[in-house]
Amino acid sequence: MDAAALADLALDIAREAGALAWQRREEGVAIAATKSAIADIVTEADREVEALIRARLAAERPDDGFLGEESGAERGTSDITWVVDPIDGTVNYAYGMPHYAVSIAAVSGEPTPPTWTALAGVVHNPAVGETFHAVRGGGAWRDEQRLTVSQVGAAGGLVATGFGYDPKHHEGDLARVAAVMPLVRDLRRAGAASLDLAYVAAGRLDGYFERGLHPWDHAAGALLVTEAGGLVTGAPDVFPGREMTVAAGPDLLHRIVAAIGL
Ligand code: IPD
């Protein structure tokens, strides 16, 4: 199966999974558990949606590996691993804010960054009915529209960030916000890393930075950015793992990287 066919499969499954997430949200959502911190939550819907995605992938691609936020990792016998966040932006989801997404990526090679190569990625927001996808070498798309990152020069831009859950990093997070603030028109903390990256790919955001993302947060979104002509620190083939992720067009990326002292 080539990268485009992997993307088609991911698109089908992400839409089905998104419909389930949306339906469960309509029925009312309860926080099922708090994980590493008060903001690190899981709902029954996260678990149910991941189970659906995992079952669909196992039926279609039984030899592939799987790495999911809620149900963990399983090595496959093929070269492909599926990296899945069933509901990215769980806090938004739990509070009824329509800014969350199903994120599914197919990667080849060792199933941990920095050694993998992302082949296909889908970020689907069922609450607004928007689907972003990328195929390695085949571009990044929002529905039928091809995406290109913005090219901001010296005049700043709209940049998003996020805050990981571990409070010991919050001081550093705020120091980075203070360092980047003078470079940009404005900052956003929208609460779903996969959508932050998709929005950089779409030119809705000029850039994004966050410390401590997990593979399922960025696997699909980083491919969207690079296929839209942007850079992600370390990408296209090497990802920096759990430390800093910076995504933008080249000019802004280098200015953010310099400001935060990467
Ligand atoms: C989180 C969101 C958030 C980001 C966190 C992620 P989750 O994912 O993407 O925007 O700041 O770092 O963990 O927990 O909602 O799947």
Side-chain angles (χ1 to χ4, degrees):
M1 204 181 243
D2 64 12
L6 293 170
D8 285 343
L9 176 61
L11 279 164
D12 277 355
I13 296 177
R15 290 194 176 109
E16 193 182 330
L20 177 61
W22 187 83
Q23 185 190 330
R24 292 291 179 260
R25 176 58 257 174
E26 289 297 288
E27 291 163 3
V29 164
I31 294 171
T34 298
K35 300 192 282 186
S36 64
I38 191 171
D40 189 6
I41 57 172
V42 61
T43 71
E44 282 306 332
D46 291 78
R47 294 171 177 156
E48 195 185 350
V49 172
E50 183 158 315
L52 179 148
I53 295 169
R54 195 165 183 162
R56 289 277 277 108
L57 287 169
E60 298 282 338
R61 306 265 318 168
D63 298 334
D64 294 351
F66 184 86
L67 173 62
E69 177 173 19
E70 311 304 341
S71 62
E74 187 181 336
R75 269 185 181 272
T77 51
S78 79
D79 185 45
I80 305 291
T81 299
W82 294 89
V83 185
V84 170
D85 192 338
I87 300 178
D88 180 42
T90 303
V91 174
N92 287 344
Y93 181 76
Y95 279 77
M97 292 174 63
H99 191 78
Y100 60 87
V102 177
S103 176
I104 301 179
V107 307
S108 73
E110 276 300 302
T112 43
T115 44
W116 76 33
T117 300
L119 300 176
V122 172
V123 175
H124 170 60
N125 179 349
V128 299
E130 249 183 1
T131 310
F132 301 86
H133 80 278
V135 177
R136 186 172 194 79
W141 305 81
R142 177 174 58 81
D143 301 316
E144 304 304 314
Q145 190 184 338
R146 187 142 191 182
L147 304 179
T148 316
V149 296
S150 73
Q151 300 293 336
V152 247
L158 184 62
V159 171
T161 190
F163 306 119
Y165 298 132
D166 187 343
K168 77 170 182 280
H169 295 296
H170 288 167
E171 204 178 313
D173 290 340
L174 294 178
R176 280 185 286 274
V177 165
V180 171
M181 206 67 193
L183 300 180
V184 301
R185 190 185 305 281
D186 206 350
L187 274 181
R188 294 287 180 271
R189 194 290 191 250
S194 62
L195 286 171
D196 290 328
L197 289 161
Y199 281 21
V200 172
R204 291 177 180 173
L205 287 170
D206 298 301
Y208 165 67
F209 64 98
E210 180 165 352
R211 197 211 70 84
L213 291 182
H214 293 88
W216 43 82
D217 297 316
H218 63 64
L223 183 65
L224 281 160
V225 173
T226 55
E227 284 297 326
L231 297 176
V232 182
T233 44
D237 293 323
V238 182
F239 205 91
R242 286 184 56 83
E243 288 311 314
M244 281 305 301
T245 300
V246 185
D251 280 3
L252 184 60
L253 182 121
H254 290 118
R255 284 189 295 126
I256 293 173
V257 163
I260 63 180
L262 257 195

